[in-house]
């Protein structure tokens, strides 16, 4: 299993291949439907965002409240397709990686390749496992959205699979690539 330190570098992204298992450690953002909608409303209105997407990895998740002694409660991935209408725009802003569950639209797959980024699949139903990998949690934007606010997590050995790589390799498609 490949260990990756976040933030992702271009070299990291270029060396990842669809189907590889990875352990991610470092800093990630979270965001779900409501946060993505608000981000795009800010962009449409010409308002500055309260954070930058450059080099960031976003986890499509909404954390449960933290029990005593923990940084976060259960925090499993949500269905990524719900963010597909927003993802290409955020990739254009420099988003390097996305973590979620399930397939992505053709438009998102093309944008991943165009922007040299990566999509990681997390395991649905493993929220407690992911919650234990979160070592620090803080809200960075939109606290009124509660669990759908944008959080910054510090994670350690967060297990994922490279689902869509920057060359177009895609575990959800049958198309084989010469480098696989």
């Amino acid at each position: 299993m490949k260990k990756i330190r976040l933030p992702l570098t271009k070299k990291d992204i270029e060396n990842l291949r669809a189907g590889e298992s990875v352990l991610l450690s470092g800093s990630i953002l979270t965001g779900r439907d409501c946060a993505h909608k608000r981000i795009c409303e800010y962009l449409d209105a010409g308002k500055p965002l309260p954070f930058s997407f450059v080099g960031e990895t976003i986890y499509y998740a909404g954390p449960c409240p933290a029990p005593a002694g923990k940084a976060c409660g259960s925090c499993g991935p949500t269905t990524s397709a719900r963010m597909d209408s927003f993802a290409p725009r955020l990739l254009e802003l420099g988003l390097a990686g996305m973590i979620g569950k399930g397939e992505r639209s053709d438009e998102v797959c093309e944008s991943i390749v165009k922007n040299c980024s990566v999509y990681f699949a997390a395991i649905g139903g493993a929220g407690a496992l992911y919650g234990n990998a979160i070592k620090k949690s803080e809200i960075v934007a939109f606290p009124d959205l509660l669990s759908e606010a944008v959080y910054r997590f510090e994670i350690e050995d967060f297990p994922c699979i490279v689902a869509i790589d920057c060359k177009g390799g895609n575990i959800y498609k049958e198309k084989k690539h010469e480098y696989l």
Side-chain angles (χ1 to χ4, degrees):
M1 188 168 300
K2 192 180 273 189
K3 289 191 172 220
I4 303 289
R5 190 88 183 115
L6 301 173
L8 291 164
T9 66
K10 185 174 180 177
K11 184 178 177 183
D12 290 331
I13 294 169
E14 290 172 342
N15 287 324
L16 293 170
R17 294 294 174 258
E20 285 185 304
S21 295
V22 297
L23 292 173
L24 302 176
S25 295
S27 177
I28 60 173
L29 296 173
T30 67
R32 289 179 52 142
D33 316 54
C34 291
H36 279 73
K37 182 177 183 234
R38 176 104 31 107
I39 289 162
C40 287
E41 288 170 352
Y42 270 52
L43 294 171
D44 291 344
K47 293 166 93 175
L49 293 175
F51 57 91
S52 170
F53 279 106
V54 176
E56 294 285 358
T57 297
I58 194 164
Y59 180 33
Y60 301 138
C64 291
K70 296 253 188 175
C72 184
S74 182
C75 194
T78 197
T79 303
S80 300
R82 295 196 334 248
M83 272 53 75
D84 279 2
S85 63
F86 308 108
R89 191 170 189 185
L90 303 186
L91 290 166
E92 291 287 334
L93 291 175
L95 183 64
M98 299 164 288
I99 305 167
K101 69 178 182 184
E103 295 184 54
R104 306 306 299 267
S105 69
D106 290 342
E107 183 183 12
V108 172
C109 294
E110 291 165 10
S111 189
I112 288 169
V113 172
K114 176 184 173 191
N115 292 287
C116 191
S117 57
V118 62
Y119 170 57
F120 299 102
I123 303 159
L129 170 73
Y130 289 118
N132 287 334
I134 298 163
K135 303 305 177 189
K136 184 178 174 188
S137 172
E138 64 178 326
I139 293 179
V140 295
F142 319 131
D144 60 303
L145 297 179
L146 305 173
S147 69
E148 291 209 26
V150 176
Y151 287 78
R152 179 168 302 283
F153 288 163
E154 291 299 323
I155 58 172
E156 185 178 316
D157 292 339
F158 192 95
C160 296
I161 296 166
V162 178
I164 304 170
D165 66 37
C166 70
K167 304 287 187 195
N170 186 331
I171 64 170
Y172 300 106
K173 305 284 184 194
E174 294 205 34
K175 181 179 174 184
K176 300 293 179 200
H177 299 275
E178 49 284 348
Y179 57 85
L180 291 178

mmCIF file of all heavy atoms in Angstrom, residues 4 6 8-9 12-14 16-18 20 22 24 56-58 60 91 95-99 104 108 111-113 115-121 161-167 169:
data_model
loop_
_atom_site.group_PDB
_atom_site.id
_atom_site.type_symbol
_atom_site.label_atom_id
_atom_site.label_comp_id
_atom_site.label_asym_id
_atom_site.label_seq_id
_atom_site.Cartn_x
_atom_site.Cartn_y
_atom_site.Cartn_z
ATOM 1 N N ILE A 4 0.834 8.319 1.024
ATOM 2 C CA ILE A 4 0.888 9.626 0.373
ATOM 3 C C ILE A 4 0.750 10.706 1.438
ATOM 4 O O ILE A 4 -0.130 10.659 2.284
ATOM 5 C CB ILE A 4 -0.272 9.802 -0.637
ATOM 6 C CG1 ILE A 4 -0.269 8.694 -1.690
ATOM 7 C CG2 ILE A 4 -0.243 11.186 -1.271
ATOM 8 C CD1 ILE A 4 0.842 8.758 -2.682
ATOM 9 N N LEU A 6 -0.089 14.535 2.155
ATOM 10 C CA LEU A 6 -0.802 15.670 1.579
ATOM 11 C C LEU A 6 -0.204 16.968 2.081
ATOM 12 O O LEU A 6 0.296 17.002 3.211
ATOM 13 C CB LEU A 6 -2.282 15.586 1.971
ATOM 14 C CG LEU A 6 -2.992 14.317 1.530
ATOM 15 C CD1 LEU A 6 -4.395 14.270 2.116
ATOM 16 C CD2 LEU A 6 -3.055 14.214 0.028
ATOM 17 N N LEU A 8 -1.076 17.039 -2.053
ATOM 18 C CA LEU A 8 -0.588 16.308 -3.217
ATOM 19 C C LEU A 8 0.314 17.195 -4.056
ATOM 20 O O LEU A 8 0.032 18.385 -4.244
ATOM 21 C CB LEU A 8 -1.765 15.862 -4.090
ATOM 22 C CG LEU A 8 -2.673 14.786 -3.521
ATOM 23 C CD1 LEU A 8 -3.981 14.741 -4.302
ATOM 24 C CD2 LEU A 8 -1.977 13.434 -3.555
ATOM 25 N N THR A 9 1.387 16.618 -4.561
ATOM 26 C CA THR A 9 2.213 17.314 -5.528
ATOM 27 C C THR A 9 1.855 16.804 -6.921
ATOM 28 O O THR A 9 1.233 15.746 -7.063
ATOM 29 C CB THR A 9 3.713 17.060 -5.283
ATOM 30 O OG1 THR A 9 3.982 15.668 -5.526
ATOM 31 C CG2 THR A 9 4.125 17.434 -3.859
ATOM 32 N N ASP A 12 3.226 13.378 -7.259
ATOM 33 C CA ASP A 12 2.379 12.378 -6.583
ATOM 34 C C ASP A 12 1.232 11.964 -7.503
ATOM 35 O O ASP A 12 0.977 10.776 -7.707
ATOM 36 C CB ASP A 12 1.740 12.943 -5.300
ATOM 37 C CG ASP A 12 2.704 13.184 -4.165
ATOM 38 O OD1 ASP A 12 3.730 12.477 -4.075
ATOM 39 O OD2 ASP A 12 2.418 14.086 -3.351
ATOM 40 N N ILE A 13 0.526 12.953 -8.023
ATOM 41 C CA ILE A 13 -0.651 12.696 -8.859
ATOM 42 C C ILE A 13 -0.263 11.911 -10.109
ATOM 43 O O ILE A 13 -0.925 10.938 -10.483
ATOM 44 C CB ILE A 13 -1.354 14.023 -9.217
ATOM 45 C CG1 ILE A 13 -1.939 14.659 -7.957
ATOM 46 C CG2 ILE A 13 -2.443 13.795 -10.273
ATOM 47 C CD1 ILE A 13 -2.421 16.086 -8.135
ATOM 48 N N GLU A 14 0.821 12.305 -10.754
ATOM 49 C CA GLU A 14 1.247 11.638 -11.987
ATOM 50 C C GLU A 14 1.673 10.194 -11.749
ATOM 51 O O GLU A 14 1.630 9.374 -12.667
ATOM 52 C CB GLU A 14 2.378 12.426 -12.655
ATOM 53 C CG GLU A 14 1.895 13.741 -13.240
ATOM 54 C CD GLU A 14 3.014 14.625 -13.745
ATOM 55 O OE1 GLU A 14 4.200 14.414 -13.366
ATOM 56 O OE2 GLU A 14 2.702 15.552 -14.521
ATOM 57 N N LEU A 16 0.221 8.120 -9.508
ATOM 58 C CA LEU A 16 -0.898 7.307 -9.028
ATOM 59 C C LEU A 16 -1.617 6.654 -10.199
ATOM 60 O O LEU A 16 -1.790 7.268 -11.250
ATOM 61 C CB LEU A 16 -1.885 8.172 -8.242
ATOM 62 C CG LEU A 16 -1.368 8.720 -6.923
ATOM 63 C CD1 LEU A 16 -2.333 9.754 -6.358
ATOM 64 C CD2 LEU A 16 -1.143 7.593 -5.926
ATOM 65 N N ARG A 17 -2.037 5.402 -10.009
ATOM 66 C CA ARG A 17 -2.756 4.664 -11.041
ATOM 67 C C ARG A 17 -4.048 4.102 -10.486
ATOM 68 O O ARG A 17 -4.103 3.626 -9.337
ATOM 69 C CB ARG A 17 -1.901 3.515 -11.599
ATOM 70 C CG ARG A 17 -0.672 3.970 -12.351
ATOM 71 C CD ARG A 17 -1.063 4.713 -13.637
ATOM 72 N NE ARG A 17 0.077 5.279 -14.320
ATOM 73 C CZ ARG A 17 0.418 6.571 -14.275
ATOM 74 N NH1 ARG A 17 -0.290 7.427 -13.578
ATOM 75 N NH2 ARG A 17 1.454 7.007 -14.947
ATOM 76 N N ALA A 18 -5.085 4.151 -11.307
ATOM 77 C CA ALA A 18 -6.394 3.620 -10.920
ATOM 78 C C ALA A 18 -6.239 2.195 -10.414
ATOM 79 O O ALA A 18 -5.540 1.383 -11.020
ATOM 80 C CB ALA A 18 -7.343 3.666 -12.111
ATOM 81 N N GLU A 20 -4.894 1.417 -7.403
ATOM 82 C CA GLU A 20 -3.914 1.357 -6.318
ATOM 83 C C GLU A 20 -4.565 1.684 -4.981
ATOM 84 O O GLU A 20 -5.406 2.585 -4.892
ATOM 85 C CB GLU A 20 -2.786 2.371 -6.525
ATOM 86 C CG GLU A 20 -1.790 2.011 -7.578
ATOM 87 C CD GLU A 20 -0.644 3.013 -7.627
ATOM 88 O OE1 GLU A 20 -0.904 4.233 -7.788
ATOM 89 O OE2 GLU A 20 0.510 2.565 -7.515
ATOM 90 N N VAL A 22 -4.099 3.293 -1.293
ATOM 91 C CA VAL A 22 -3.238 4.311 -0.698
ATOM 92 C C VAL A 22 -3.685 4.617 0.721
ATOM 93 O O VAL A 22 -4.835 4.399 1.092
ATOM 94 C CB VAL A 22 -3.225 5.616 -1.530
ATOM 95 C CG1 VAL A 22 -2.650 5.389 -2.920
ATOM 96 C CG2 VAL A 22 -4.610 6.231 -1.631
ATOM 97 N N LEU A 24 -3.626 8.018 2.991
ATOM 98 C CA LEU A 24 -3.393 9.454 2.928
ATOM 99 C C LEU A 24 -3.174 10.006 4.335
ATOM 100 O O LEU A 24 -3.889 9.644 5.262
ATOM 101 C CB LEU A 24 -4.603 10.150 2.305
ATOM 102 C CG LEU A 24 -5.014 9.705 0.900
ATOM 103 C CD1 LEU A 24 -6.287 10.419 0.469
ATOM 104 C CD2 LEU A 24 -3.899 9.942 -0.100
ATOM 105 N N GLU A 56 -5.418 21.599 -2.849
ATOM 106 C CA GLU A 56 -6.195 20.934 -1.800
ATOM 107 C C GLU A 56 -6.821 19.624 -2.281
ATOM 108 O O GLU A 56 -7.018 19.411 -3.473
ATOM 109 C CB GLU A 56 -7.326 21.845 -1.308
ATOM 110 C CG GLU A 56 -6.862 23.084 -0.588
ATOM 111 C CD GLU A 56 -6.361 22.825 0.829
ATOM 112 O OE1 GLU A 56 -6.398 21.682 1.299
ATOM 113 O OE2 GLU A 56 -5.939 23.797 1.470
ATOM 114 N N THR A 57 -7.156 18.788 -1.310
ATOM 115 C CA THR A 57 -7.948 17.582 -1.525
ATOM 116 C C THR A 57 -9.216 17.746 -0.706
ATOM 117 O O THR A 57 -9.154 18.147 0.456
ATOM 118 C CB THR A 57 -7.178 16.318 -1.074
ATOM 119 O OG1 THR A 57 -6.011 16.184 -1.894
ATOM 120 C CG2 THR A 57 -8.028 15.063 -1.203
ATOM 121 N N ILE A 58 -10.370 17.463 -1.315
ATOM 122 C CA ILE A 58 -11.643 17.603 -0.616
ATOM 123 C C ILE A 58 -12.276 16.228 -0.426
ATOM 124 O O ILE A 58 -12.246 15.383 -1.319
ATOM 125 C CB ILE A 58 -12.591 18.565 -1.363
ATOM 126 C CG1 ILE A 58 -13.758 18.976 -0.457
ATOM 127 C CG2 ILE A 58 -13.058 17.995 -2.697
ATOM 128 C CD1 ILE A 58 -14.521 20.192 -0.936
ATOM 129 N N TYR A 60 -15.722 14.375 0.350
ATOM 130 C CA TYR A 60 -17.164 14.554 0.312
ATOM 131 C C TYR A 60 -17.769 13.842 1.515
ATOM 132 O O TYR A 60 -18.096 12.660 1.464
ATOM 133 C CB TYR A 60 -17.743 14.001 -0.981
ATOM 134 C CG TYR A 60 -17.196 14.643 -2.242
ATOM 135 C CD1 TYR A 60 -16.882 13.874 -3.346
ATOM 136 C CD2 TYR A 60 -17.012 16.017 -2.341
ATOM 137 C CE1 TYR A 60 -16.410 14.445 -4.512
ATOM 138 C CE2 TYR A 60 -16.522 16.601 -3.499
ATOM 139 C CZ TYR A 60 -16.233 15.805 -4.590
ATOM 140 O OH TYR A 60 -15.759 16.380 -5.742
ATOM 141 N N LEU A 91 -11.974 22.117 -9.863
ATOM 142 C CA LEU A 91 -10.713 21.604 -10.415
ATOM 143 C C LEU A 91 -9.986 22.711 -11.179
ATOM 144 O O LEU A 91 -8.761 22.822 -11.101
ATOM 145 C CB LEU A 91 -10.964 20.388 -11.301
ATOM 146 C CG LEU A 91 -11.407 19.127 -10.554
ATOM 147 C CD1 LEU A 91 -11.961 18.082 -11.519
ATOM 148 C CD2 LEU A 91 -10.276 18.544 -9.724
ATOM 149 N N LEU A 95 -8.094 22.613 -7.380
ATOM 150 C CA LEU A 95 -8.334 21.441 -6.545
ATOM 151 C C LEU A 95 -7.535 20.265 -7.107
ATOM 152 O O LEU A 95 -7.612 19.956 -8.292
ATOM 153 C CB LEU A 95 -9.832 21.109 -6.535
ATOM 154 C CG LEU A 95 -10.284 19.946 -5.664
ATOM 155 C CD1 LEU A 95 -10.019 20.241 -4.183
ATOM 156 C CD2 LEU A 95 -11.771 19.675 -5.887
ATOM 157 N N ALA A 96 -6.743 19.620 -6.253
ATOM 158 C CA ALA A 96 -5.851 18.547 -6.703
ATOM 159 C C ALA A 96 -6.468 17.160 -6.558
ATOM 160 O O ALA A 96 -6.180 16.265 -7.350
ATOM 161 C CB ALA A 96 -4.533 18.599 -5.924
ATOM 162 N N GLY A 97 -7.288 16.965 -5.528
ATOM 163 C CA GLY A 97 -7.842 15.640 -5.291
ATOM 164 C C GLY A 97 -9.225 15.701 -4.687
ATOM 165 O O GLY A 97 -9.605 16.698 -4.050
ATOM 166 N N MET A 98 -9.970 14.638 -4.902
ATOM 167 C CA MET A 98 -11.315 14.493 -4.348
ATOM 168 C C MET A 98 -11.417 13.091 -3.761
ATOM 169 O O MET A 98 -10.845 12.144 -4.309
ATOM 170 C CB MET A 98 -12.363 14.666 -5.446
ATOM 171 C CG MET A 98 -12.330 16.031 -6.114
ATOM 172 S SD MET A 98 -13.241 16.079 -7.687
ATOM 173 C CE MET A 98 -12.154 15.142 -8.757
ATOM 174 N N ILE A 99 -12.155 12.970 -2.655
ATOM 175 C CA ILE A 99 -12.386 11.676 -2.007
ATOM 176 C C ILE A 99 -13.895 11.523 -1.823
ATOM 177 O O ILE A 99 -14.548 12.412 -1.287
ATOM 178 C CB ILE A 99 -11.715 11.598 -0.618
ATOM 179 C CG1 ILE A 99 -10.226 11.910 -0.685
ATOM 180 C CG2 ILE A 99 -11.956 10.221 0.009
ATOM 181 C CD1 ILE A 99 -9.577 12.148 0.680
ATOM 182 N N ARG A 104 -18.159 8.900 -11.280
ATOM 183 C CA ARG A 104 -18.226 10.316 -11.627
ATOM 184 C C ARG A 104 -18.720 10.448 -13.061
ATOM 185 O O ARG A 104 -18.574 9.540 -13.879
ATOM 186 C CB ARG A 104 -16.848 10.990 -11.495
ATOM 187 C CG ARG A 104 -16.135 10.836 -10.143
ATOM 188 C CD ARG A 104 -16.946 11.257 -8.938
ATOM 189 N NE ARG A 104 -17.367 12.644 -8.899
ATOM 190 C CZ ARG A 104 -16.694 13.621 -8.310
ATOM 191 N NH1 ARG A 104 -15.556 13.366 -7.701
ATOM 192 N NH2 ARG A 104 -17.175 14.855 -8.305
ATOM 193 N N VAL A 108 -16.706 15.192 -15.345
ATOM 194 C CA VAL A 108 -15.748 15.215 -14.240
ATOM 195 C C VAL A 108 -14.510 14.404 -14.606
ATOM 196 O O VAL A 108 -13.382 14.850 -14.367
ATOM 197 C CB VAL A 108 -16.387 14.706 -12.928
ATOM 198 C CG1 VAL A 108 -15.331 14.546 -11.838
ATOM 199 C CG2 VAL A 108 -17.483 15.655 -12.467
ATOM 200 N N SER A 111 -12.370 16.429 -16.796
ATOM 201 C CA SER A 111 -11.770 17.534 -16.054
ATOM 202 C C SER A 111 -10.618 17.051 -15.171
ATOM 203 O O SER A 111 -9.631 17.769 -14.989
ATOM 204 C CB SER A 111 -12.851 18.238 -15.224
ATOM 205 O OG SER A 111 -12.349 19.421 -14.663
ATOM 206 N N ILE A 112 -10.734 15.847 -14.631
ATOM 207 C CA ILE A 112 -9.641 15.266 -13.837
ATOM 208 C C ILE A 112 -8.392 15.142 -14.697
ATOM 209 O O ILE A 112 -7.290 15.524 -14.283
ATOM 210 C CB ILE A 112 -10.060 13.906 -13.235
ATOM 211 C CG1 ILE A 112 -11.080 14.110 -12.115
ATOM 212 C CG2 ILE A 112 -8.845 13.117 -12.744
ATOM 213 C CD1 ILE A 112 -11.762 12.835 -11.636
ATOM 214 N N VAL A 113 -8.546 14.637 -15.905
ATOM 215 C CA VAL A 113 -7.412 14.488 -16.823
ATOM 216 C C VAL A 113 -6.884 15.869 -17.224
ATOM 217 O O VAL A 113 -5.677 16.126 -17.148
ATOM 218 C CB VAL A 113 -7.804 13.654 -18.065
ATOM 219 C CG1 VAL A 113 -6.689 13.650 -19.108
ATOM 220 C CG2 VAL A 113 -8.163 12.229 -17.654
ATOM 221 N N ASN A 115 -7.012 18.708 -15.758
ATOM 222 C CA ASN A 115 -6.398 19.474 -14.669
ATOM 223 C C ASN A 115 -5.360 18.701 -13.875
ATOM 224 O O ASN A 115 -4.901 19.177 -12.837
ATOM 225 C CB ASN A 115 -7.496 19.997 -13.739
ATOM 226 C CG ASN A 115 -8.347 21.035 -14.417
ATOM 227 O OD1 ASN A 115 -7.912 22.157 -14.621
ATOM 228 N ND2 ASN A 115 -9.563 20.662 -14.824
ATOM 229 N N CYS A 116 -4.985 17.510 -14.358
ATOM 230 C CA CYS A 116 -3.978 16.669 -13.692
ATOM 231 C C CYS A 116 -4.295 16.522 -12.203
ATOM 232 O O CYS A 116 -3.532 16.908 -11.329
ATOM 233 C CB CYS A 116 -2.573 17.208 -13.893
ATOM 234 S SG CYS A 116 -1.288 16.035 -13.368
ATOM 235 N N SER A 117 -5.475 15.977 -11.944
ATOM 236 C CA SER A 117 -5.904 15.752 -10.570
ATOM 237 C C SER A 117 -6.243 14.279 -10.387
ATOM 238 O O SER A 117 -5.950 13.465 -11.258
ATOM 239 C CB SER A 117 -7.088 16.665 -10.223
ATOM 240 O OG SER A 117 -8.148 16.447 -11.123
ATOM 241 N N VAL A 118 -6.862 13.932 -9.258
ATOM 242 C CA VAL A 118 -7.132 12.526 -8.950
ATOM 243 C C VAL A 118 -8.398 12.427 -8.109
ATOM 244 O O VAL A 118 -8.723 13.345 -7.345
ATOM 245 C CB VAL A 118 -5.928 11.880 -8.213
ATOM 246 C CG1 VAL A 118 -5.666 12.557 -6.868
ATOM 247 C CG2 VAL A 118 -6.089 10.383 -8.048
ATOM 248 N N TYR A 119 -9.100 11.304 -8.297
ATOM 249 C CA TYR A 119 -10.287 11.002 -7.496
ATOM 250 C C TYR A 119 -10.032 9.708 -6.750
ATOM 251 O O TYR A 119 -9.712 8.689 -7.359
ATOM 252 C CB TYR A 119 -11.518 10.891 -8.395
ATOM 253 C CG TYR A 119 -12.760 10.354 -7.705
ATOM 254 C CD1 TYR A 119 -13.279 10.971 -6.572
ATOM 255 C CD2 TYR A 119 -13.407 9.230 -8.196
ATOM 256 C CE1 TYR A 119 -14.424 10.482 -5.943
ATOM 257 C CE2 TYR A 119 -14.552 8.729 -7.587
ATOM 258 C CZ TYR A 119 -15.050 9.360 -6.465
ATOM 259 O OH TYR A 119 -16.177 8.868 -5.841
ATOM 260 N N PHE A 120 -10.151 9.778 -5.431
ATOM 261 C CA PHE A 120 -9.977 8.607 -4.568
ATOM 262 C C PHE A 120 -11.343 8.095 -4.139
ATOM 263 O O PHE A 120 -12.221 8.885 -3.789
ATOM 264 C CB PHE A 120 -9.197 8.979 -3.297
ATOM 265 C CG PHE A 120 -7.810 9.490 -3.526
ATOM 266 C CD1 PHE A 120 -7.543 10.856 -3.463
ATOM 267 C CD2 PHE A 120 -6.763 8.620 -3.770
ATOM 268 C CE1 PHE A 120 -6.256 11.341 -3.640
ATOM 269 C CE2 PHE A 120 -5.471 9.093 -3.961
ATOM 270 C CZ PHE A 120 -5.218 10.460 -3.891
ATOM 271 N N ALA A 121 -11.506 6.781 -4.119
ATOM 272 C CA ALA A 121 -12.729 6.176 -3.598
ATOM 273 C C ALA A 121 -12.494 5.786 -2.145
ATOM 274 O O ALA A 121 -11.481 5.165 -1.805
ATOM 275 C CB ALA A 121 -13.110 4.948 -4.417
ATOM 276 N N ILE A 161 -8.761 4.126 -2.367
ATOM 277 C CA ILE A 161 -8.342 3.500 -3.618
ATOM 278 C C ILE A 161 -8.316 4.597 -4.668
ATOM 279 O O ILE A 161 -9.228 5.432 -4.730
ATOM 280 C CB ILE A 161 -9.317 2.387 -4.037
ATOM 281 C CG1 ILE A 161 -9.306 1.267 -3.001
ATOM 282 C CG2 ILE A 161 -8.977 1.841 -5.424
ATOM 283 C CD1 ILE A 161 -10.447 0.295 -3.143
ATOM 284 N N VAL A 162 -7.289 4.613 -5.500
ATOM 285 C CA VAL A 162 -7.265 5.550 -6.619
ATOM 286 C C VAL A 162 -8.342 5.079 -7.591
ATOM 287 O O VAL A 162 -8.244 4.002 -8.167
ATOM 288 C CB VAL A 162 -5.883 5.593 -7.306
ATOM 289 C CG1 VAL A 162 -5.920 6.549 -8.499
ATOM 290 C CG2 VAL A 162 -4.792 5.978 -6.325
ATOM 291 N N ALA A 163 -9.398 5.871 -7.729
ATOM 292 C CA ALA A 163 -10.527 5.476 -8.568
ATOM 293 C C ALA A 163 -10.399 6.012 -9.987
ATOM 294 O O ALA A 163 -10.677 5.307 -10.949
ATOM 295 C CB ALA A 163 -11.836 5.946 -7.944
ATOM 296 N N ILE A 164 -9.972 7.273 -10.112
ATOM 297 C CA ILE A 164 -9.764 7.884 -11.431
ATOM 298 C C ILE A 164 -8.442 8.633 -11.369
ATOM 299 O O ILE A 164 -8.267 9.519 -10.523
ATOM 300 C CB ILE A 164 -10.907 8.838 -11.812
ATOM 301 C CG1 ILE A 164 -12.253 8.104 -11.763
ATOM 302 C CG2 ILE A 164 -10.664 9.439 -13.200
ATOM 303 C CD1 ILE A 164 -13.467 9.000 -11.887
ATOM 304 N N ASP A 165 -7.519 8.259 -12.233
ATOM 305 C CA ASP A 165 -6.202 8.899 -12.215
ATOM 306 C C ASP A 165 -6.098 9.971 -13.297
ATOM 307 O O ASP A 165 -6.995 10.143 -14.119
ATOM 308 C CB ASP A 165 -5.082 7.860 -12.305
ATOM 309 C CG ASP A 165 -5.035 7.104 -13.622
ATOM 310 O OD1 ASP A 165 -5.292 7.695 -14.689
ATOM 311 O OD2 ASP A 165 -4.725 5.893 -13.579
ATOM 312 N N CYS A 166 -4.989 10.695 -13.283
ATOM 313 C CA CYS A 166 -4.811 11.840 -14.175
ATOM 314 C C CYS A 166 -4.609 11.446 -15.634
ATOM 315 O O CYS A 166 -4.611 12.303 -16.513
ATOM 316 C CB CYS A 166 -3.659 12.719 -13.691
ATOM 317 S SG CYS A 166 -2.030 11.978 -13.873
ATOM 318 N N LYS A 167 -4.454 10.171 -15.918
ATOM 319 C CA LYS A 167 -4.304 9.682 -17.300
ATOM 320 C C LYS A 167 -5.618 9.145 -17.850
ATOM 321 O O LYS A 167 -5.679 8.685 -18.975
ATOM 322 C CB LYS A 167 -3.243 8.581 -17.360
ATOM 323 C CG LYS A 167 -1.893 8.963 -16.813
ATOM 324 C CD LYS A 167 -1.177 9.896 -17.735
ATOM 325 C CE LYS A 167 0.235 10.096 -17.222
ATOM 326 N NZ LYS A 167 0.903 11.206 -17.820
ATOM 327 N N GLY A 169 -7.321 6.592 -16.295
ATOM 328 C CA GLY A 169 -7.598 5.276 -15.726
ATOM 329 C C GLY A 169 -8.759 5.383 -14.763
ATOM 330 O O GLY A 169 -8.826 6.339 -13.978
#
